[in-house]
Amino acid sequence: MSIHHHLDAATLMRYASGDLDTAFTVVVASHLAMCDACRESVRVAEAMGGQCLDDAPAPMLSDGAFARLSHAIDAGVTRDTPVVPRAREIGSQHASDVPLPLRPFVGDTFDDVSWRMIVPGVHRHRIELADTQSSLYMLKIGEGRKMPEHGHGGPEMTLVMRGSYSDTLGHYGAGDVADLDEHVEHQPIVNSSEPCICLVATEEPTQFKGIVSRLMQPFVGI
Amino acid sequence: MLKVLRVEKPMGDRERGSDQQMMQSLIKAIAESGDRDAFEALFARFGPRIKGMMISSGATDDMAEDLVQDVMMTIWRKAALYSPERGNVSTWIFTIARNARIDRLRRQPTQPYVDVDTITLECDAPTAETQVIGSQSDARVREAVELLPDEQKAVIELAFLRFKPQSTIAKELNVPIGTVKSRMRLAYQKLKEHLEELR
Ligand SMILES: [Zn+2]
């Protein structure tokens, strides 16, 4: 997979320090699942945390803190065994192109997702999350269709998981992420023959009503 | 507790490399034979610092102690998953502490982080670059962080030691969020370049 659009360094740092909220964490983790380069970069960012831990103040622990731990271990603890690296399964990408971090939310295949049509050619699936101020949803958009406008001027992150689209910022294929600090006016158009499936996080709850009315506009003239 | 005294002896920079090697051998002993002495030595080194980090981030004393128990138990369980090529022991323990804190504060679990770790372990053969970021680079990370301008250091400390959200960092430093972001980017860039010089 050749990925051309990566995560912003500030986003990597927020992920590494645990500052991203759940919706954005899922999008970032899904990109990391697809992108070797950004997984490397996260390790660099996390090294900052290792440094801070080394330099952290070291207050006394309560008496018997280790004994408590030791008793808990004696009571029986399951321990993990080493993970054996497996060869990358070439060609199997399409069989399961739902990134691992997204699977708990949508299952192993995009086909089983309960897509809801917003307008012809554009489907949406909203992912409900606990304690988040943001929105997380997937879009499935057919060839030649425009991506709906979303967000309200705040940060937004879009990860392409299947198919591709183009806009003024470039061409986005599977694995590419548009990590935008501020909402940019752009008109992404799907240019793959298969539907483009994206994962989107926006900082404020998206008013889908607004999306539908804006989406309808192009159709009025048809 | 002679062992503990040895671990806690103040070190010079030169000794830090061997300190990391010692931490790695402790993890290895825990992974391979469930060595309780090795675990106690690791506990003596990291337990107080994990507590210090949690208190710095606003936890009460009780909560910080609980988190120390959580983090150390995770280290005991996952010791076999630690891979020196992918980062030093302190960095690995930092990520466990970060996750434990998120799990305590949020209803949504840190499964995305765990999934990324799983992919890393399954897919990523250690490359020349990961080796650099790994054990040998410990002193380089310290060098790079110490070379950062104070304003970038302050942002790093607020984000990674005190776990402050970006918006709070901006308020505390009385600068716009955009400034916090650019300092984060610069700090990241400098560390990355400093590590890449080794290749
Ligand atoms: Zn990337």
Side-chain angles (χ1 to χ4, degrees):
Chain A
M1 197 182 303
S2 70
I3 296 177
H4 300 286
H5 300 275
H6 297 278
L7 295 163
D8 185 293
T11 303
L12 291 168
M13 294 286 269
R14 290 185 75 190
Y15 174 87
S17 66
D19 180 33
L20 289 174
D21 98 337
T22 309
F24 284 86
T25 301
V26 172
V27 180
V28 168
S30 297
H31 175 76
L32 293 174
M34 304 169 92
C35 181
D36 301 347
C38 285
R39 278 204 304 282
E40 293 265 359
S41 303
V42 162
R43 282 199 283 276
V44 173
E46 286 172 341
M48 302 264 185
Q51 191 61 55
C52 286
L53 178 60
D54 275 339
D55 293 343
M60 293 266 288
L61 291 167
S62 61
D63 287 343
F66 186 74
R68 238 171 101 195
L69 198 54
S70 210
H71 289 147
I73 290 169
D74 290 337
V77 175
T78 319
R79 303 179 65 207
D80 294 4
T81 50
V83 172
V84 182
R86 56 185 164 83
R88 208 81 59 102
E89 301 139 56
I90 295 154
S92 69
Q93 187 57 40
H94 213 86
S96 175
D97 51 5
V98 183
L100 188 60
L102 188 59
R103 283 181 216 168
F105 303 102
V106 304
D108 290 348
T109 162
F110 292 127
D111 301 330
D112 296 344
V113 170
S114 56
W115 295 106
R116 286 183 176 211
M117 194 179 78
I118 312 179
V119 291
V122 180
H123 292 77
R124 188 193 79 224
H125 173 70
R126 185 168 200 158
I127 298 165
E128 298 298 335
L129 298 168
D131 62 0
T132 180
Q133 298 297 307
S134 307
S135 292
L136 181 65
Y137 54 94
M138 294 196 300
L139 292 171
K140 183 168 82 170
I141 304 157
E143 186 183 6
R145 301 277 178 176
K146 285 178 183 165
M147 292 260 290
E149 276 291 335
H150 45 257
H152 290 262
E156 63 184 55
M157 207 181 277
T158 305
L159 171 69
V160 179
M161 298 182 292
R162 187 189 287 181
S164 62
Y165 71 78
S166 280
D167 64 12
T168 49
L169 300 171
H171 175 84
Y172 289 77
D176 283 325
V177 64
D179 180 4
L180 306 177
D181 223 12
E182 297 296 328
H183 178 73
V184 179
E185 277 301 323
H186 55 149
Q187 287 275 293
I189 295 178
V190 171
N191 54 8
S192 51
S193 55
E194 62 184 340
C196 178
I197 298 180
C198 300
L199 180 64
V200 183
T202 58
E203 202 160 77
E204 291 152 49
T206 305
Q207 309 270 319
F208 283 111
K209 218 170 161 186
I211 279 191
V212 172
S213 62
R214 267 173 289 167
L215 267 180
M216 288 307 284
Q217 284 165 14
F219 298 93
V220 174
I222 294 173
Chain B
M1 298 283 276
L2 271 177
K3 181 174 57 212
V4 171
L5 288 174
R6 200 173 68 230
V7 172
E8 284 299 316
K9 192 182 66 170
M11 297 168 275
D13 275 357
R14 181 172 285 243
E15 286 172 70
R16 288 199 183 264
S18 60
D19 175 54
Q20 273 299 323
Q21 276 169 7
M22 185 180 151
M23 295 304 144
Q24 284 173 9
S25 59
L26 294 177
I27 300 267
K28 196 162 177 252
I30 296 165
E32 286 173 0
S33 59
D35 186 330
R36 208 69 72 90
D37 290 338
F39 190 51
E40 188 166 5
L42 202 70
F43 181 85
R45 169 72 147 80
F46 285 102
R49 287 176 172 79
I50 296 163
K51 180 176 175 179
M53 195 167 227
M54 296 306 172
I55 287 177
S56 301
S57 78
T60 62
D61 200 84
D62 281 353
M63 192 189 179
E65 290 266 351
D66 276 359
L67 283 162
V68 170
Q69 297 280 320
D70 282 3
V71 173
M72 292 307 300
M73 188 56 95
T74 304
I75 293 169
W76 176 260
R77 286 196 293 105
K78 291 184 184 271
L81 303 184
Y82 171 68
S83 142
E85 297 83 10
R86 299 192 178 93
N88 66 40
V89 172
S90 307
T91 298
W92 183 62
I93 294 179
F94 165 79
T95 63
I96 293 172
R98 170 199 66 197
N99 292 0
R101 187 177 169 276
I102 295 173
D103 280 339
R104 187 59 63 99
L105 296 179
R106 298 186 193 164
R107 279 180 292 151
Q108 202 80 43
T110 43
Q111 194 58 39
Y113 284 98
V114 176
D115 289 337
V116 170
D117 287 345
T118 303
I119 291 161
T120 300
L121 289 169
E122 284 181 348
C123 298
D124 295 356
T127 60
E129 189 173 25
T130 49
Q131 306 266 7
V132 168
I133 294 164
S135 51
Q136 295 83 351
S137 69
D138 190 55
R140 296 291 284 183
V141 176
R142 173 164 295 277
E143 261 172 44
V145 173
E146 276 165 9
L147 285 171
L148 294 177
D150 286 345
E151 56 178 32
Q152 287 169 32
K153 261 188 223 162
V155 168
I156 296 304
E157 193 183 301
L158 286 163
F160 287 87
L161 172 68
R162 298 177 58 202
F163 293 110
K164 297 293 176 205
Q166 191 176 259
S167 52
T168 308
I169 297 175
K171 269 190 214 118
E172 284 196 17
L173 298 177
N174 201 20
V175 295
I177 281 193
T179 305
V180 175
K181 282 184 179 166
S182 62
R183 287 179 189 174
M184 289 265 204
R185 288 188 193 107
L186 287 168
Y188 166 81
Q189 214 52 49
K190 284 204 185 121
L191 176 56
K192 193 170 177 113
E193 281 162 16
H194 204 70
L195 294 176
E196 280 170 353
E197 277 170 25
L198 276 188
R199 269 193 290 174

